Amino acid sequence: MLDDIKKAIVGKKIRRSEDLEQTVMDTLKKSIEEILTKNENIDIIKIIKESQRPFVIVFFGVNGVGKTTTIAKFIYMLKKNGLTCIVSASDTFRAAAQEQLAIHAQKLEVPMVKGKYGGDPAAVAFDAIQSAKSRNIDVVLVDTAGRMNTDADLTNELRRVMKIAKPNFKILVLDSLGGNDTLEQAKYFENAIGFDAVILTKVDADAKGGVVLSLAYELKKPVIFLGVGQEYENLEPFSAQWFIDRLFSS
Ligand SMILES: Nc1nc2c(ncn2[C@@H]2O[C@H](COP(=O)(O)OP(=O)(O)O)[C@@H](O)[C@H]2O)c(=O)[nH]1
Ligand SMILES: [Mg+2]
């Protein structure tokens, strides 16, 4: 970005300081747009529709970032696009987690497969996939327990889920309020598990979502949706222009 700015101003005649400021801002916006648009074009609905059934998506990320809520929103969006879903309550780690997901599944009228509390999350995912196959369901959404970056046991468990579920798509859920830690989480999960795309949550809670830029630049990972509230409709497809407008708004 600095290089871009240098190119735009060094050796140029700029008469007023306002013009300089404007040139710098315009150049910045343009280079941010370039970084972002390299990654913008993931049409998940199209990918799902062109893939074999069932399409398996695993959602993961640290505690409380919004995985379960995001899955509910995602189901709502998939259903609106004419896709059938089943959800795997593979968060067997936290007592209330399966119940929380069950409430959403009921409201959204999709089947849910659950396991015993403390049971094997990979086995739950396996059952959900089998069930999807026999019922000809389009998409399996796998919810998982929150992983703290440092928790090796949970990370290994997540690896097992991936090994058994063999997901077509892995979504890392990140919280836009997490500041610098958010990028650290992304780096950790990229090394430990790997992922295809990010959904950034809680962007409604006055976050600029600057981590989007770091993700695109450092990890070359796209952000495909933004969580912008707690309702099912509050999942926005990511748009570079929307992000830039927000970043530069005061
Ligand atoms: N404002 C806001 N809150 C959210 C969003 N996504 C999730 N939440 C809230 O964040 C909290 C944790 O969400 P949950 O889905 O249980 O997180 P999980 O532990 O990752 O499964 C809940 O209170 C959600 O309602 C969002 O996009 N905006
Ligand atoms: Mg959860």
Side-chain angles (χ1 to χ4, degrees):
M1 282 183 208
L2 281 173
D3 283 344
D4 288 347
I5 292 171
K6 269 186 211 152
K7 266 182 228 148
I9 59 175
V10 172
K12 302 265 160 68
K13 279 209 180 78
I14 293 170
R15 265 180 236 116
R16 298 179 307 161
S17 70
E18 297 89 72
D19 292 348
L20 178 62
E21 197 174 305
Q22 195 57 45
T23 309
V24 170
M25 285 309 238
D26 289 347
T27 314
L28 252 183
K29 281 187 195 174
K30 233 181 105 221
S31 39
I32 289 176
E33 201 177 336
E34 253 163 48
I35 292 171
L36 291 177
T37 44
K38 268 185 202 143
N39 285 315
E40 210 188 347
N41 296 317
I42 287 194
D43 183 346
I44 190 72
I45 299 295
K46 188 160 173 275
I47 294 174
I48 293 172
K49 287 188 171 167
E50 286 171 356
S51 299
Q52 266 194 343
R53 247 180 280 177
F55 192 89
V56 180
I57 309 174
V58 175
F59 294 76
F60 63 104
V62 309
N63 254 333
V65 289
K67 293 178 293 297
T68 305
T69 310
T70 299
I71 287 178
K73 294 172 181 175
F74 213 87
I75 292 171
Y76 179 83
M77 188 245 336
L78 292 176
K79 282 188 69 181
K80 272 203 350 204
N81 283 278
L83 293 159
T84 53
C85 306
I86 187 167
V87 57
S88 168
S90 293
D91 183 353
T92 58
F93 190 71
R94 200 164 54 82
Q98 298 203 345
E99 284 94 274
Q100 183 195 357
L101 189 59
I103 293 168
H104 288 305
Q106 202 174 20
K107 273 197 205 156
L108 294 160
E109 298 175 322
V110 297
M112 178 180 112
V113 174
K114 62 174 191 168
K116 282 203 302 286
Y117 168 59
D120 178 8
V124 182
F126 182 82
D127 288 348
I129 293 165
Q130 288 311 112
S131 180
K133 281 180 183 162
S134 63
R135 296 158 81 171
N136 223 2
I137 289 172
D138 299 316
V139 188
V140 182
L141 300 101
V142 182
D143 193 13
T144 61
R147 261 86 192 151
M148 297 320 286
N149 301 13
T150 49
D151 193 330
D153 279 353
L154 280 166
T155 303
N156 284 332
E157 191 183 279
L158 187 55
R159 283 200 186 105
R160 240 179 71 73
V161 170
M162 299 302 182
K163 205 172 152 198
I164 303 285
K166 298 185 187 65
N168 302 77
F169 210 78
K170 291 182 272 200
I171 296 181
L172 176 64
V173 182
L174 294 172
D175 174 341
S176 63
L177 304 175
N180 283 340
D181 191 48
T182 305
L183 185 64
E184 292 309 313
Q185 286 169 25
K187 284 180 185 165
Y188 174 81
F189 284 115
E190 175 61 0
N191 289 327
I193 309 286
F195 57 92
D196 299 295
V198 165
I199 293 182
L200 191 66
T201 64
K202 309 184 194 180
V203 180
D204 53 305
D206 202 32
K208 292 274 187 191
V211 70
V212 169
L213 207 53
S214 316
L215 285 167
Y217 191 73
E218 285 203 39
L219 292 176
K220 310 267 181 285
K221 294 289 179 175
V223 174
I224 50 171
F225 286 98
L226 302 173
V228 293
Q230 310 206 36
E231 305 299 324
Y232 293 151
E233 310 86 69
N234 296 149
L235 190 68
E236 296 273 341
F238 180 75
S239 131
Q241 197 49 56
W242 182 89
F243 173 77
I244 290 166
D245 290 347
R246 192 181 170 94
L247 199 62
F248 283 87
S249 71
S250 45

